Amino acid sequence: MNIKRVLLFLISIMALHPLRADEGMWVPSYIQQKIEDMRGKGFRLSAEDLYSINSSSLKDAIVHFNGGCTGEMISDEGLLITNHHCGYDQIQYHSSVEHDYLKDGFWAMKRDEELPNPDLYVAFLEYMEDVTKKVLAGYSESMSEEQREKLVADNSRRIVSRIERKGKGIKARVAPLYYGNQYFVYVYKVFTDVRLVGAPPSSIGKFGGDTDNWMWPRHTGDFSLFRVYADRNNEPAPYSPDNVPYRPKRFFKINASGISEGDFTLVYGYPGRTSEYVTSQAVDYIANVSNPKKIKLRTIRLGIMDSQMERSDAVRIQYSSKHADVANSWKKWQGEMKGILKMNTVENKRNYEKAFAVWAKGKPEYDGIIGKFADLYSQAEALSLVRDYQYEALNAPEFLFFAAGDGSDSALFYKNYYKPIDKATFIALMNEYDKDIDDSYKSPYFKEKVAKAGSVEKLADEIYDNDSLSLAREFYMATNTFYNSTVKPRLDSLNREINMLYRKYMRGQMDFARENGTGKVFYPDANSTLRIAYGRIEGYAPADAVRYKPFSTLEGIMEKDNPAIFDYNVPQKLREIYASRDFGRWEENGTVPVCFIATNHTTGGNSGSPVLDADGNLIGVNFDRVWEGTMSDIVFDPDLCRNIALDIRYALFVIDKVADAGYLLNEMVILE
Ligand code: ARG
Ligand code: ASP
């Protein structure tokens, strides 16, 4: 085949995989570009209803919750709903042996029982604006990537400080889109007096635990309630008993009238990070090297925790939150790997890159990019593996990290520390590091210490049996200094070059698509800024002969009920309500709806995001994705990628019937 025929052939393959509807996390201020498609799929509002700089719009009801999750206003008195797992730290903060709010739940029965949280903030987006010209003022092509970075940082700082001067609680942040082809400034109003209003017991809010995490069918009542407080002028203010509930520009009305498969859905929130436009080598590294290694290391850690947690309730309580943290990514990476392999993404990207390279021939801007990627990635791979082991092995034993600190968190640390777990972890992980990392990249201190002690086990005895803070600190410092001074600078400089190449490649992919008339519209990768994803309620077929329905109900909770299994121990109150069938206005077809899935493209950070219907009313609260679709951070499959949402009616049912906090419903607007 000649080049032209190869190209035509590859383009015809690509045309079979156009960007399918439902993929994408769209920039709210540009949503006009998608509104026709959205309305064709059932949406009934305008672009201005979603995002407006002139008047209030739905975006004014949404917050970035503590920097990592999303939350939304559900009353004109500052009432906020987010996930239980997003409010977990606050619930834990207020918990003690006498008041175990994690275990038993917490409900303020009146305003002055709402609990302030010292470390909690929520940010409302005031506006976003393209500042590319200002950010790149003074840039010239001859600059190195490092000089460019410095210029961008300096210009951004000026933009930010000019804006932040303007008002109380105003915070600005400049973020790159499309690998720095574009820059936006995001301007927020930040509130720090945010109080805990309610949380169900973990046996509802975390029902299914790690067993059901990342999976469908799901029955988790993953929500908690907070209230935003402001000063007398409705402006942000530090906690004060004189503060009053914040009156938001907008809050969501709740649609409790029922939903059906096929209904339009929109998720409006703060997705954290995706990598949809990376090359075949990058995906190959993730699916075939990095994920398998990191999974192996975490499997070891989880195994050690499990064996000790099984033996003692005290240890189980100490380590349950840590175990959940380690297990969350561990489980996600497995689904992601599997999804990438199933989608044949490495091969598909390789074919695409071949076609791109042919197209790029003779175009000075793009010619040779693919070859350069290959070169840079092959240099970066070994270093990336060292980085992965630095974080997942060397730095994983907690005692080391603690010893390296100033000891001020000592009481907190020892409260949840069980030496046999940490020592066994040290031994297992250091042996893996020793075995898997090439000698030339291995910390010389590590080699020397192990040789001197005789073995990793003996070194562990020296550190742990003597509780030697000084040796632990020395170990942590020496291995990190080696990494930071020897490995990291080389990796950073390669990544800088790779990023610069991606900036070109991103433009190239757009030009390539435009010239070939594929009609593909490119959304920027997630970067913890506000985005819109739209789709519909839909089941999926995860395996041969299996098809999942999109709704789960209280029946499923009772089917899973088992007092002997911690994750499935239904609270007695819920059992009683179930037995009496006292479902009140939340009843549907003889039961209560609990969760649903939809085709919205979401990622970490979208937890707590409002799931809206075609009229912009709240039907659910996003909290997870299905395991078979977790590759959506890298490649989206419309057949398998589903977000999981709590049906808002289950939250209302729990507030009303389980918590007897029905008074909270009075401040909501519930459409039935
Ligand atoms: N998988 C969800 C997310 O990535 C929920 C995690 C919290 N729940 C848990 N059982 N670990 O955040
Ligand atoms: N559970 C995730 C979160 O906490 C959401 C996801 O990754 O789908 O943001």
Side-chain angles (χ1 to χ4, degrees):
M1 279 202 276
N2 64 29
I3 284 182
K4 207 158 181 178
R5 283 186 45 204
V6 172
L7 189 57
L8 281 175
F9 168 70
L10 290 169
I11 287 170
S12 69
I13 292 182
M14 281 159 43
L16 296 176
H17 304 280
L19 184 78
R20 286 251 319 242
D22 307 337
E23 175 174 358
M25 302 172 171
W26 306 98
V27 175
S29 57
Y30 292 158
I31 200 64
Q32 185 61 44
Q33 297 170 353
K34 302 301 297 180
I35 208 77
E36 203 184 303
D37 186 51
M38 291 166 73
R39 293 187 61 99
K41 295 184 166 122
F43 190 51
R44 285 191 282 264
L45 302 181
S46 69
E48 279 275 303
D49 291 325
L50 285 166
Y51 180 91
S52 168
I53 41 170
N54 304 312
S55 55
S56 84
S57 55
L58 293 181
K59 76 123 170 60
D60 295 318
I62 301 162
V63 299
H64 204 186
F65 184 87
N66 226 17
C69 279
T70 307
E72 57 272 11
M73 296 283 105
I74 50 170
S75 88
D76 61 0
E77 295 175 87
L79 190 62
L80 180 154
I81 190 165
T82 185
N83 292 144
H84 185 269
H85 80 261
C86 294
Y88 199 85
D89 288 348
Q90 281 70 39
I91 306 166
Q92 181 167 49
Y93 171 80
H94 293 295
S95 295
S96 60
V97 181
E98 306 84 64
H99 306 283
D100 192 344
Y101 299 142
L102 277 177
K103 182 165 164 286
D104 305 324
F106 167 79
W107 299 95
M109 285 302 168
K110 45 188 197 316
R111 292 279 159 89
D112 64 10
E113 288 175 11
E114 298 174 355
L115 300 171
N117 298 278
D119 286 326
L120 179 59
Y121 68 93
V122 300
F124 289 84
L125 181 72
E126 297 265 304
Y127 64 92
M128 56 173 80
E129 189 176 64
D130 186 329
V131 286
T132 313
K133 279 220 181 75
K134 285 187 205 162
V135 169
L136 293 179
Y139 174 69
S140 78
E141 288 284 336
S142 62
M143 283 184 175
S144 72
E145 187 65 4
E146 220 169 337
Q147 288 168 319
R148 189 185 188 274
E149 265 177 24
K150 188 173 175 316
L151 177 90
V152 165
D154 289 345
N155 286 340
S156 299
R157 212 173 302 120
R158 269 192 286 277
I159 295 169
V160 163
S161 72
R162 208 168 299 144
I163 295 172
E164 291 187 346
R165 246 179 270 140
K166 284 185 194 150
K168 224 174 155 185
I170 297 293
K171 282 266 174 291
R173 188 186 139 219
V174 173
L177 276 70
Y178 303 111
Y179 293 94
N181 280 301
Q182 201 175 6
Y183 291 87
F184 263 69
V185 68
Y186 296 83
V187 180
Y188 302 94
K189 198 175 256 193
V190 178
F191 290 79
T192 51
D193 186 354
V194 184
R195 305 183 195 170
L196 180 63
V197 172
S202 291
S203 51
I204 288 177
K206 215 187 158 181
F207 183 74
D210 284 331
T211 316
D212 285 5
N213 191 23
W214 297 114
M215 304 234 281
W216 185 253
R218 190 65 157 277
H219 299 90
T220 314
D222 198 346
F223 77 98
S224 56
L225 298 175
F226 290 82
R227 192 183 304 281
V228 181
Y229 279 78
D231 68 15
R232 298 268 159 194
N233 303 315
N234 208 32
E235 291 295 327
Y239 169 78
S240 157
D242 298 333
N243 285 348
V244 293
Y246 172 61
R247 296 182 309 282
K249 287 184 228 162
R250 253 329 238 280
F251 67 93
F252 288 112
K253 294 180 184 139
I254 291 166
N255 172 6
S257 70
I259 46 182
S260 312
E261 181 151 20
D263 283 358
F264 178 90
T265 53
L266 185 148
V267 174
Y268 208 163
Y270 283 89
R273 216 177 113 95
T274 59
S275 316
E276 310 285 346
Y277 306 105
V278 295
T279 67
S280 56
Q281 297 104 314
V283 179
D284 188 25
Y285 177 74
I286 294 167
N288 296 317
V289 183
S290 178
N291 281 9
K293 297 280 190 206
K294 292 192 294 189
I295 291 163
K296 176 178 81 164
L297 295 172
R298 288 202 178 197
T299 303
I300 295 172
R301 285 165 75 183
L302 291 168
I304 293 168
M305 283 193 241
D306 283 335
S307 69
Q308 298 289 350
M309 288 166 78
E310 269 161 28
R311 262 181 249 169
S312 147
D313 273 350
V315 175
R316 185 179 55 70
I317 292 164
Q318 281 184 314
Y319 276 76
S320 72
S321 176
K322 296 177 193 179
H323 189 280
D325 276 351
V326 175
N328 194 40
S329 301
W330 169 80
K331 195 163 178 182
K332 189 214 155 185
W333 291 328
Q334 296 176 58
E336 182 176 80
M337 241 175 95
K338 219 177 150 207
I340 289 171
L341 297 181
K342 182 163 182 177
M343 297 260 317
N344 212 13
T345 306
V346 175
E347 184 71 23
N348 290 342
K349 291 224 175 203
R350 256 187 217 133
N351 288 335
Y352 172 83
E353 285 153 17
K354 266 184 218 152
F356 182 91
V358 171
W359 169 82
K361 271 240 158 352
K363 296 184 177 63
E365 216 194 336
Y366 305 130
D367 203 352
I369 284 191
I370 299 298
K372 280 189 201 140
F373 269 123
D375 179 42
L376 289 169
Y377 269 121
S378 64
Q379 291 180 59
E381 176 150 336
L383 296 165
S384 301
L385 193 70
V386 179
R387 176 204 53 207
D388 288 346
Y389 274 71
Q390 185 69 37
Y391 292 118
E392 293 289 329
L394 285 180
N395 290 356
E398 289 183 288
F399 186 61
L400 304 181
F401 181 76
F402 169 69
D406 62 5
S408 61
D409 49 354
S410 176
L412 253 175
F413 173 78
Y414 285 109
K415 181 169 167 251
N416 287 331
Y417 174 70
Y418 185 57
K419 189 157 70 171
I421 290 186
D422 213 51
K423 185 180 174 189
T425 303
F426 179 96
I427 293 171
L429 295 185
M430 297 313 156
N431 275 320
E432 291 298 316
Y433 173 81
D434 201 17
K435 179 161 61 90
D436 288 356
I437 294 300
D438 191 87
D439 208 58
S440 58
Y441 291 117
K442 214 179 281 170
S443 150
Y445 171 90
F446 176 91
K447 288 190 273 192
E448 200 184 297
K449 271 286 168 201
V450 172
K452 227 165 122 199
S455 67
V456 164
E457 286 73 5
K458 295 225 175 77
L459 179 59
D461 290 343
E462 285 178 26
I463 295 176
Y464 285 90
D465 295 0
N466 306 320
D467 298 310
S468 175
L469 280 167
S470 61
L471 184 51
R473 180 186 305 121
E474 184 186 288
F475 185 96
Y476 185 90
M477 291 301 187
T479 55
N480 279 283
T481 302
F482 171 74
Y483 172 76
N484 287 326
S485 62
T486 311
V487 180
K488 191 169 177 291
R490 283 155 73 193
L491 189 57
D492 285 350
S493 117
L494 283 168
N495 279 334
R496 219 174 257 132
E497 283 185 65
I498 288 172
N499 192 57
M500 182 168 71
L501 219 48
Y502 270 125
R503 194 174 313 125
K504 272 193 201 168
Y505 186 44
M506 199 68 239
R507 287 198 298 273
Q509 295 186 62
M510 291 177 180
D511 285 351
F512 185 37
R514 204 173 302 124
E515 276 187 34
N516 293 310
T518 60
K520 178 165 166 157
V521 186
F522 292 78
Y523 56 92
D525 271 320
N527 59 353
S528 293
T529 63
L530 191 61
R531 299 295 177 88
I532 292 169
Y534 61 94
R536 65 193 171 284
I537 297 174
E538 196 179 292
Y540 72 111
D544 184 38
V546 183
R547 172 135 200 115
Y548 285 141
K549 292 181 185 170
F551 303 107
S552 67
T553 68
L554 189 52
E555 304 309 303
I557 294 180
M558 300 314 297
E559 280 169 11
K560 285 176 178 172
D561 184 18
N562 186 341
I565 301 175
F566 181 78
D567 285 347
Y568 292 137
N569 190 3
V570 173
Q572 189 53 27
K573 180 88 185 270
L574 189 54
R575 285 191 192 118
E576 282 159 18
I577 294 169
Y578 180 77
S580 71
R581 307 248 139 207
D582 173 24
F583 304 150
R585 55 207 269 227
W586 318 113
E587 190 256 42
E588 186 185 59
N589 301 324
T591 186
V592 180
V594 174
C595 294
F596 64 89
I597 51 174
T599 61
N600 303 91
H601 191 181
T602 55
T603 187
N606 268 125
S607 276
S609 298
V611 185
L612 307 176
D613 67 9
D615 298 306
N617 296 321
L618 191 70
I619 52 174
V621 180
N622 192 74
F623 70 95
D624 210 3
R625 280 172 285 164
V626 303
W627 194 68
E628 300 84 355
T630 44
M631 68 296 199
S632 64
D633 292 349
I634 289 155
V635 58
F636 187 89
D637 181 355
D639 293 331
L640 287 177
C641 294
R642 296 289 178 272
N643 60 311
I644 306 179
L646 166 72
D647 192 308
I648 194 65
R649 291 170 294 173
Y650 186 55
L652 300 178
F653 163 80
V654 169
I655 294 168
D656 184 14
K657 293 286 176 182
V658 182
D660 290 317
Y663 81 96
L664 285 168
L665 306 181
N666 299 337
E667 62 183 286
M668 305 176 195
V669 177
I670 301 171
L671 313 168
E672 280 169 278

